Amino acid sequence: MTESLAELVSSAARRWGDDIALACGASRLTYAQLDRAVARVAADLVDRGLQPGDAVAVLAGTGLEFPVLAHGVLRAAGVLVPISPSSPPREVAALLRAAQVELILCDSQHEDVATAAAAIYDPGCGVITLDGSAARSRGDTMALSRLTEGKDVPAPPGRIPAGTGAVILFTSGSTARAKGVVHSHEGLLRNAECVAHQMARLTRRDVMLGVLPLAHSFGLSAVLNSSLLVGARLELLPQFDAQETWKTVLAREVTVLTGVPTMFRRIAELREASRNSDLRLAIVSGSACPRDIARDIRLRLGVDIVERYGMTEASPLTWRSIDDTTPAGDVGLPAWGVKLRAVDEKGSVLQAGRRGEIQAQAPGMLLRYLAAADNREGLQDGWLRTGDLGTVRADGGLTLEARLKEVILRGGYTISAREVEAVIEQHPAVAEAAVVGLPDDDIGEDVAAMIVLRPGRKAEPAELWRFVGERLAAWKRPRRWRMADELPRTSLGKIRRDEIIRTWGEG
């Protein structure tokens, strides 16, 4: 029986060694090959002096390299720190510092970013590259083909207790500082089990398409690990393109399609999209799925569509199948072992049907936050504060009404308004900034910034865009900018974000 993430690949290889585990374009890895590659990465890390509990960052795209590197770290008893490959070096360096990373692993496409980030963080921090196309290994570059050769598999360092810290995921939340979320081996394994067995009912006959970033919670756990858990085949696409995605669905006999609402809208708009495929299930995550998109997917593709609700700290919390009768805000019933409650401003538990902040307990919830302040703010008596406003119904289901945290949901990504504001305000011409999410039928919300300049200073939106681009990932950058003499505020001095949003509607 698999008891930790570190055993996930080896357990799968014993049962389904000759089956295809991963495919990306023309490249494929069987479960046996994946096991050998993971074992050799782990052995190399141990040879380099990695100690149990040391943090190792992985900066790689949605290809064969990420699963090999990530599970290599886990098998070596290290703590995996996945980092979005779209992040610029300065942002990567900040995350390395927060996690106290000892080493960076990357694919060849992101070697320059990894090297630049390491130089900013600590010149002594090593960078090791896994190259999927290299013919042989040299120095700090490992050739994937060489890792999969032969039959021998190095023995793992030893069994890892299930409650040990396994992964640090970063989420901006509602603050300007990225929160480090520490998950245990057992917690993320329970997460994958819930997705595989309860929500998606995956089997080894399934083919799941992975186009979402594997460095994020959903891609790592609900896509990669849930596939490995049941022996399914995972088809990987380095980036999303609607036509290429649909071609892959047809050519590779994909049965389960995962993505954010924007992706599904693009696919439903394709002229060639039809029911003539092997698809049986579509799983939507990242933000609420507009009912028109759900209807289009259901009618055009002829598949059930599941919407899940969760967060980096705990996921999935609830899920449900969507049809034409699904009420707005209804995100379904709790997943296995999940407990929900609503509390008032004083933290008192409310009766069913009364609106309050939603709190949760779950088998797959975080072990802890990295920062003590985040533990004090994010947890209450062992309950996770979601920051969402809603009601726990009499049937135990959850209805969400609004977000208490000032976050923006853009194309499946969670963006902290304050984090983006803090970066903009580093520009010498900017006195203050307010970042808001504007409703967008395509991507959920778009990021907009209202700027107040310092007296006598000038800055054009194009200049601010470049400035922010050097410091934040592409999905966090505002696409709409507006200059103002002052920001609208309440009598208590709080920014009126609702009024700022209305200014865009007024032209």
Side-chain angles (χ1 to χ4, degrees), residues 227-251:
S227 296
L228 297 175
L229 186 68
V230 301
R233 187 172 89 236
L234 179 58
E235 290 282 342
L236 296 168
L237 282 178
Q239 59 186 9
F240 174 74
D241 174 84
Q243 289 189 331
E244 187 62 30
T245 298
W246 186 247
K247 288 179 182 178
T248 303
V249 167
L250 297 178

Side-chain angles (χ1 to χ4, degrees), residues 489-494:
R489 298 179 182 274
T490 67
S491 58
L492 297 177
K494 293 184 178 180

Side-chain angles (χ1 to χ4, degrees), residues 93-172:
L95 302 181
L96 299 176
R97 188 172 297 108
Q100 298 182 10
V101 162
E102 297 290 335
L103 191 65
I104 306 172
L105 308 182
C106 65
D107 59 15
S108 57
Q109 292 89 340
H110 299 93
E111 187 174 31
D112 289 345
V113 174
T115 302
I120 296 171
Y121 162 59
D122 180 357
C125 180
V127 176
I128 301 174
T129 303
L130 178 59
D131 193 332
S133 60
R136 60 176 179 168
S137 300
R138 291 182 177 180
D140 286 335
T141 297
M142 297 183 291
L144 179 57
S145 60
R146 291 301 176 93
L147 297 182
T148 62
E149 292 176 345
K151 297 292 183 182
D152 62 307
V153 177
R159 192 153 211 180
I160 301 170
T164 302
V167 179
I168 299 174
L169 295 169
F170 282 98
T171 176
S172 295

Side-chain angles (χ1 to χ4, degrees), residues 126 158 208 396 465 478:
M208 183 179 282
W465 167 266

Side-chain angles (χ1 to χ4, degrees), residues 438-468:
L438 302 182
D440 189 298
D441 291 337
D442 192 24
I443 59 175
E445 290 180 300
D446 203 359
V447 185
M450 181 173 281
I451 307 297
V452 177
L453 297 176
R454 298 182 184 277
R457 302 299 294 269
K458 295 181 179 181
E460 296 296 328
E463 178 186 347
L464 295 172
W465 167 266
R466 288 193 297 270
F467 181 85
V468 172

Side-chain angles (χ1 to χ4, degrees), residues 171-179 374 377 406-407 416-419:
T171 176
S172 295
S174 60
T175 65
R177 174 180 46 81
K179 293 181 180 179
D374 293 332
E377 297 171 5
E406 294 172 349
V407 298
S416 163
R418 185 57 200 140
E419 179 187 17

